[in-house]
């Protein structure tokens, strides 16, 4: 019970933060914070301890002797070599230095980030193609693990394909979605499973695949590193062929335990597919396990859609809107008056009848804003972001028969300005046929530290209709993109049962369709990977090249001439000998020269490793990211391999993934923050929210290594209330900050839990 309670209290950031945090280059409205003093910590933490399997018992005994207050929680053996441990923060440094301990990481929290989309990726073009046993390609005989919130296995579209699984939240063999009586009902896993293998009223990508459900995320769609890794281990033990993880956190780190676990699952022969995250459109927003090197990380693109745009009558600006899940699609056909209604409270809606209502995100839940607008007689609700850029959202509870859309902060503030200039403004909705555009919410790479290209591919993730408990619903997100790829992998696996996970990943990447924005400019490798999947071409490809994308790392501008070599494996899966050509980028900038083999032959069924050499003079190149494509010609299709490299230290955020919540005791609190490159100084400075006067450091530390910093604060001596917090981290002479509001006190905390559940 104690272990479960400790895991349960590590919850998602939105439960306790008034507004989403934002990455800024600084905080100009804050006065200069005072210098840090010497600080020590006594806080409890939960960490993942990596050790060799043969030494695990010996290392545990040594730890228990040296740190008697430590407590071993769960042991792992297949996809993660080690165990989870409860230990005081002051003892972590001692733990890291112990003989036999490979590395130590903190436990993190995870969240759940077709009818038209299934044929769009090419499935209908191969339905009549037969596998080696003469069966049509439907995923028959392929075992797919859905690691998620569980699934409603009684749903008529899923019941025939459900074959079992496990609930690691409740520790039983019943992986049903969280039900109303349990609180925090969920629908996510059922929606994901339907995209993969629905076989009833709607058809998934692989409608005859076998579905195994592993409930790693409990009420409200929340789960921990322990639960996710345990689910991966159980799926591998159950000998599944494919794992789908439509979940993630905001930790952009390649060596996070869940990313490592997926890498090891792939090494054990399992195809691992994971969502890239919904924190776009900025760089560096991909989160673990989407940072896994060997898994297939998936971004979101749009299937064929009539995309709604809103305009203010008499103005040239067109604003893209995202329909909110759980509400009616934005499908208005008439002009309507526009009004601004603050935060969307009841008292803000007094004059909303017959109008489109514009409100600001924050303070009260999306569902409450929407119901207030609907009950006031409004025709629709537009919610604009309270931080830079667009966002996605969902209505909790029963779906609303009322149109709700979201727009960016910049667009929302522009609309407010138009209303201030002229009170009576009309809003009009226009529709444009669009497809194969990157979703603005789709997280971008690359991965910090390794600078790898992520996502690997993209797939439809906008307005995807699929199964939910007792019905169907359209949802948005990379959570919807990943199962398209998992289903596609099942079709490839059925057609080529002896292909390895690396070969299946290569087939999907090598045949991806390169995507272009509305101006005809190709999206960058860290935005679209190798492109949008085309499963029909992936199944039929006669050449595989892997890795499907490469990174040449980073250099300092004052580095001397450097040579970087990467090896590509080329496989000939045709029945005849083939001659191949490697074509380097034709638009290489000054300062870069390429050396590649001009041509080479590969016998039928054979493979060859070829070397691509980049000869670079860093001083000649401009600072920043450089990218392009290497082409391999000679198979039935020309294969494009995207690449990237950096000059000078990339401008990744020095601080990310901040969360703050109540601890176990009355006056204790927890916070966590991820430091991609470590920090010479990191902490939380508190200010008066009205005057911005500095109050005190809630906590601060020096010389912290890269990774997740998780701290429990005991005896917090602050008056109950709301505080403006500046979370800062400095490393290599650069400081980044996150600005947010935090709550201190029981009553305010309970209100925050209630009011920020879906923000």
């Amino acid at each position: 019970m104690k272990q479960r309670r400790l895991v349960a209290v590590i919850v998602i950031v939105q439960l306790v933060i008034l507004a989403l945090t934002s990455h800024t280059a600084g905080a100009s409205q804050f006065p200069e914070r005072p210098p840090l003093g010497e600080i020590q910590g006594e806080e409890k933490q939960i960490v993942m301890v990596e050790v060799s399997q043969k030494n695990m018992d010996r290392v545990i005994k040594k730890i228990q002797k040296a740190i008697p207050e430590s407590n071993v929680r769960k042991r792992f053996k297949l996809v993660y070599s080690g165990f989870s441990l409860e230990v005081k923060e002051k003892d972590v440094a001692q733990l890291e230095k112990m003989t036999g301990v490979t590395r130590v990481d903190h436990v993190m929290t995870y969240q759940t980030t077709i009818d038209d989309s299934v044929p769009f990726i090419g499935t209908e073009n191969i339905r009549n193609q037969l596998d080696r046993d003469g069966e049509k390609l439907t995923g028959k005989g392929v075992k797919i693990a859905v690691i998620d919130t569980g699934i409603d296995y009684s749903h008529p579209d899923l019941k025939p394909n459900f074959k079992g699984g496990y609930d690691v939240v409740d520790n039983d063999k019943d992986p049903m979605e969280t039900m109303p009586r349990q609180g925090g009902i969920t629908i996510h896993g059922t929606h994901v499973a339907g995209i993969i293998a629905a076989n009833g009223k709607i058809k998934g990508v692989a409608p005859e695949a076998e579905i195994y459900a592993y409930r790693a995320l409990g009420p409200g769609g929340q789960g921990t590193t322990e639960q996710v890794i345990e689910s991966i281990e159980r799926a591998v033990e159950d000998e599944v062929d494919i794992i789908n993880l439509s979940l993630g956190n905001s930790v952009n780190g390649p060596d996070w335990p869940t990313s490592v676990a997926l890498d090891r699952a792939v090494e054990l022969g399992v195809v691992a597919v994971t969502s890239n995250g919904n924190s776009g459109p900025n760089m560096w927003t991909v989160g673990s396990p989407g940072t896994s090197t060997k898994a297939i990380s998936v971004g979101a693109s749009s299937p064929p859609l009539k995309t709604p745009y809103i305009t203010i009558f008499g103005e040239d600006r067109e604003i893209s809107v995202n329909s909110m899940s759980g509400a009616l699609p934005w499908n208005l056909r008439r002009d309507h008056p526009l009004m601004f209604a603050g935060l969307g409270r009841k008292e803000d809606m007094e004059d909303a009848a017959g109008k489109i209502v514009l409100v600001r995100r924050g303070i009260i839940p999306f569902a409450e804003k929407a119901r207030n607008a609907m009950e006031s007689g409004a025709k629709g609700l537009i919610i604009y972001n309270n931080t830079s850029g667009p966002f996605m959202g969902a209505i909790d509870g029963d779906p609303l028969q009322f149109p709700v859309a979201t727009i960016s902060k910049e667009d929302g503030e522009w609309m407010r300005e138009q209303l201030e200039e002229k009170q009576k403004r009309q809003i009009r909705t226009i529709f444009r046929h669009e497809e194969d555009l990157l979703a603005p919410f789709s997280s971008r790479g690359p991965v910090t530290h390794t600078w790898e290209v992520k996502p690997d591919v993209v797939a439809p993730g906008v307005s995807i209709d699929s199964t939910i408990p007792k019905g169907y619903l359209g949802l948005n997100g990379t959570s919807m993109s990943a199962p398209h790829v998992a289903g596609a992998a099942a079709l490839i696996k059925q057609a080529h049962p002896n292909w390895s996970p690396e070969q299946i990943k290569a087939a999907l990447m090598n045949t991806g369709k390169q995507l272009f924005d509305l101006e005809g400019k190709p999206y960058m490798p860290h935005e679209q990977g190798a492109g949008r999947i085309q499963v029909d071409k992936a199944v039929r490809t006669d050449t595989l090249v892997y890795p499907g994308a490469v990174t040449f790392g980073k250099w300092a501008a004052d580095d001397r001439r450097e040579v970087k070599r990467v090896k590509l494996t080329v496989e000939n899966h045709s029945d005849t000998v083939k001659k191949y050509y490697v074509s380097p980028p034709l638009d290489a900038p000054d300062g870069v020269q390429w050396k590649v083999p001009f041509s080479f032959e590969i016998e039928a069924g054979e493979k060859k490793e070829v070397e691509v050499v980049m000869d670079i003079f860093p001083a000649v190149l401009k600072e920043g990211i450089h990218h392009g494509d290497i082409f391999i010609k000679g198979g039935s299709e020309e294969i494009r391999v995207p690449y990237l490299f950096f000059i000078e230290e990339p401008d990744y955020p020095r601080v990310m993934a901040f969360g703050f919540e109540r601890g176990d005791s009355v006056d204790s609190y927890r916070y966590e923050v991820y430091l991609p490159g470590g920090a010479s100084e990191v902490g939380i400075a508190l200010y008066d929210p009205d005057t911005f006067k500095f109050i005190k450091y809630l906590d601060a530390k020096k010389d912290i290594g890269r990774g997740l910093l998780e701290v429990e604060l005991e005896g917090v001596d602050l008056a109950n209330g709301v505080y403006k917090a500046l979370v800062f981290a400095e490393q290599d002479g650069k400081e980044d900050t996150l600005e947010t509001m935090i709550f201190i006190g029981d009553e305010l905390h309970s209100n925050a839990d209630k009011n920020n559940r879906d923000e």
Side-chain angles (χ1 to χ4, degrees):
M1 180 63 71
K2 180 181 179 182
Q3 290 181 354
R4 187 174 300 174
R5 182 173 61 84
L6 284 169
V7 171
V9 296
I10 307 174
V11 296
I12 190 161
V13 175
Q14 282 90 332
L15 291 177
V16 291
I17 299 180
L18 175 63
L20 290 183
T21 57
S22 61
H23 166 228
T24 62
S28 58
Q29 71 268 43
F30 287 92
E32 184 176 355
R33 59 181 175 83
L36 299 183
E38 297 297 325
I39 300 171
Q40 295 182 346
E42 294 284 335
E43 302 82 5
K44 293 180 181 178
Q45 301 186 1
I46 302 171
V47 297
M48 303 293 294
V49 183
E50 186 175 3
V51 299
S52 68
Q53 287 291 330
K54 65 179 181 179
N55 293 331
M56 187 179 299
D57 289 337
R58 181 175 60 81
V59 173
I60 288 175
K61 289 180 181 178
K62 181 189 293 186
I63 292 172
Q64 290 174 334
K65 182 178 180 180
I67 312 174
E69 295 181 355
S70 63
N71 177 40
V72 175
R73 294 163 58 82
K74 290 180 181 288
R75 298 188 184 201
F76 306 98
K77 60 182 180 180
L78 281 179
V79 297
Y80 183 78
S81 180
F83 51 91
S84 57
L85 183 76
E86 180 187 350
V87 64
K88 286 186 177 180
E89 185 217 345
K90 67 181 181 63
D91 295 324
V92 172
Q94 179 184 359
L95 182 65
E96 292 173 330
K97 295 176 182 178
M98 285 188 177
T99 304
V101 174
T102 306
R103 60 177 289 141
V104 178
D105 294 282
H106 296 79
V107 165
M108 185 60 175
T109 303
Y110 293 79
Q111 183 191 14
T112 56
T113 96
I114 50 186
D115 280 350
D116 292 328
S117 61
V118 169
F120 185 61
I121 63 173
T123 52
E124 297 305 311
N125 297 334
I126 57 167
R127 286 297 190 218
N128 292 324
Q129 184 170 329
L130 305 180
D131 66 13
R132 297 179 182 182
D133 298 325
E135 300 280 354
K136 291 184 178 181
L137 295 184
T138 59
K140 186 175 182 179
V142 180
K143 300 170 66 173
I144 303 178
V146 177
I147 297 178
D148 213 289
T149 60
I151 70 169
D152 178 8
Y153 46 76
S154 66
H155 195 292
D157 288 18
L158 298 175
K159 188 174 182 179
N161 295 6
F162 175 71
K163 302 300 179 182
Y166 196 82
D167 183 342
V168 304
V169 177
D170 292 337
N171 293 312
D172 59 40
K173 294 183 178 181
D174 182 15
M176 175 62 79
E177 293 265 19
T178 302
M179 306 303 289
R181 66 178 182 275
Q182 298 171 290
I185 61 172
T186 58
I187 63 173
H188 193 269
T190 303
H191 198 275
V192 167
I195 295 172
I196 296 173
N199 196 7
K201 181 179 177 180
I202 62 174
K203 299 285 185 181
V205 179
E208 292 190 300
E210 299 176 5
I211 292 294
Y212 291 76
Y214 298 85
R215 184 172 176 248
L217 310 178
Q222 301 160 18
T224 66
T225 304
E226 291 173 299
Q227 292 164 333
V228 173
I229 291 180
E230 182 178 350
S231 297
I232 297 171
E233 283 221 343
R234 287 184 178 274
V236 173
E237 288 175 339
D238 291 340
E239 299 182 342
V240 302
D241 300 299
I242 298 164
I243 294 173
N244 185 92
L245 296 98
S246 288
L247 51 82
N249 58 38
S250 54
V251 176
N252 184 338
D255 49 3
W256 195 250
T258 45
S259 295
V260 172
L262 281 195
D263 284 342
R264 292 185 179 172
V266 173
E267 291 168 0
L268 292 170
V270 179
V271 178
V273 182
T274 179
S275 54
N276 206 55
N278 299 328
S279 301
N282 294 328
M283 288 179 65
W284 311 109
T285 48
V286 58
S288 178
T291 55
S292 163
T293 295
K294 297 181 179 181
I296 306 172
S297 180
V298 188
S301 60
S302 61
L305 294 171
K306 286 186 176 180
T307 306
Y309 289 82
I310 56 175
T311 67
I312 292 179
F313 189 77
E315 303 292 337
D316 293 333
R317 185 163 176 166
E318 293 183 0
I319 297 172
S320 175
V321 299
N322 295 309
S323 294
M324 182 167 280
S325 298
L328 290 180
W330 193 266
N331 197 27
L332 303 178
R333 301 289 173 172
R334 294 177 52 194
D335 294 356
H336 295 282
L338 175 67
M339 69 167 283
F340 176 64
L343 291 166
R345 298 184 178 96
K346 281 188 177 181
E347 57 267 30
D348 299 325
M349 300 284 184
E350 293 179 357
D351 193 31
K355 298 177 181 177
I356 301 295
V357 179
L358 174 71
V359 301
R360 187 173 72 250
R361 181 182 186 181
I363 304 299
I364 64 175
F366 300 137
E368 188 174 340
K369 296 176 192 283
R371 290 191 182 92
N372 290 341
M374 181 174 64
E375 292 170 1
S376 72
K379 294 296 184 180
L381 177 69
I382 301 170
I383 305 173
Y384 73 86
N385 207 356
N386 52 8
T387 59
S388 181
F391 75 103
M392 304 297 294
I395 301 293
D396 271 359
D398 296 332
L400 290 180
Q401 299 301 306
F402 182 72
V404 182
T406 70
I407 61 175
S408 70
K409 177 183 180 181
E410 294 77 8
D411 287 332
E413 291 178 345
W414 177 82
M415 291 178 70
R416 283 190 64 183
E417 290 174 3
Q418 308 314 305
L419 284 172
E420 290 170 0
E421 292 176 5
K422 188 177 180 181
Q423 287 293 319
K424 295 183 179 180
R425 304 304 299 259
Q426 294 282 319
I427 191 170
R428 173 174 295 175
T429 303
I430 59 176
F431 296 87
R432 303 193 184 282
H433 179 82
E434 295 177 343
E435 63 185 42
D436 276 337
L437 296 175
L438 277 190
F441 58 79
S442 184
S443 290
R444 272 63 164 174
V447 180
T448 61
H449 191 60
T450 61
W451 322 122
E452 289 182 341
V453 175
K454 289 289 177 177
D456 296 296
V457 293
V458 297
V462 180
S463 298
I464 306 300
D465 288 321
S466 185
T467 49
I468 61 170
K470 305 186 186 309
Y472 307 87
L473 186 67
L475 293 176
N476 302 310
T478 56
S479 286
M480 286 63 254
S481 305
H484 280 87
V485 175
L491 301 181
I492 299 171
K493 183 71 176 178
Q494 182 186 353
H496 305 283
N498 295 325
W499 278 12
S500 68
E502 189 173 34
Q503 290 172 310
I504 291 173
K505 179 178 180 178
L508 288 164
M509 294 185 71
N510 295 165
T511 57
K513 178 184 177 182
Q514 187 176 21
L515 302 189
F516 298 80
D517 63 21
L518 288 172
E519 298 177 354
K521 183 179 178 181
Y523 292 106
M524 297 175 70
H526 66 272
E527 296 175 319
Q528 67 167 319
R532 194 257 295 161
I533 64 166
Q534 301 180 102
V535 64
D536 51 340
K537 293 185 177 182
V539 165
R540 294 169 179 157
T541 187
D542 61 8
T543 298
L544 296 178
V545 178
Y546 50 87
V550 295
T551 178
F552 289 93
K554 67 180 180 71
W555 289 274
D558 58 357
D559 282 345
R560 299 179 179 180
R561 174 183 174 185
E562 298 282 350
V563 174
K564 177 73 174 182
R565 306 173 189 273
V566 299
K567 294 186 182 296
L568 298 177
T569 299
V570 183
E571 296 182 353
N572 178 7
H573 288 269
S574 73
D575 296 326
T576 62
V577 63
K578 282 191 173 292
K579 191 172 187 177
Y580 293 95
Y581 304 85
V582 179
S583 176
L586 299 177
D587 56 350
D590 292 339
V592 177
Q593 293 182 341
W594 296 89
K595 297 177 183 178
V596 299
F598 177 72
S599 66
F600 53 92
E601 290 187 347
I602 302 179
E603 297 290 331
E606 298 297 324
K607 63 183 179 181
K608 183 179 180 65
E609 191 174 70
V610 298
E611 188 174 68
V612 176
V613 179
M614 185 173 72
D615 194 335
I616 182 173
F617 291 86
V620 179
L621 295 164
K622 66 180 181 180
E623 183 177 334
I625 186 172
H626 297 261
H627 62 92
D629 300 299
I630 301 165
F631 292 92
I632 290 83
K633 305 174 182 179
S636 58
E637 298 279 345
E638 181 178 83
I639 292 175
R640 181 177 61 89
V641 178
Y643 73 88
L644 59 76
F645 66 90
F646 289 90
I647 300 297
E648 291 297 345
E649 185 77 4
D651 189 25
Y652 60 86
R654 266 47 175 182
V655 57
M656 58 177 64
F658 175 71
F660 183 82
E661 64 175 5
R662 286 298 296 267
D664 291 335
S665 60
V666 175
D667 58 351
S668 70
Y669 294 82
R670 287 191 180 91
Y671 78 85
E672 60 188 23
V673 63
Y674 187 72
L675 308 170
S680 55
E681 290 187 358
V682 60
I684 307 170
L686 296 185
Y687 295 80
D688 184 287
D690 298 319
T691 66
F692 291 99
K693 179 181 178 182
F694 175 77
I695 298 173
K696 65 179 293 187
Y697 283 110
L698 183 61
D699 191 37
K701 300 182 184 300
K702 293 185 176 183
D703 300 323
I704 302 297
R706 64 180 299 269
L708 184 74
L709 174 65
E710 188 177 29
V711 179
E712 183 161 333
L713 303 172
E714 299 285 355
V716 173
D717 184 19
L718 284 168
N720 289 356
V722 181
Y723 294 85
K724 188 77 171 179
L726 182 70
V727 185
F728 62 90
E730 181 178 331
Q731 181 74 346
D732 297 327
K734 181 177 183 293
E735 179 175 291
D736 282 329
T737 60
L738 298 172
E739 299 174 18
T740 188
M741 306 292 284
I742 64 172
F743 299 87
I744 300 295
D746 294 336
E747 183 177 353
L748 281 167
H749 178 263
S750 63
N751 288 338
D753 285 354
K754 174 181 180 293
N755 291 338
N756 291 278
R757 183 169 54 253
D758 59 0
E759 293 185 35

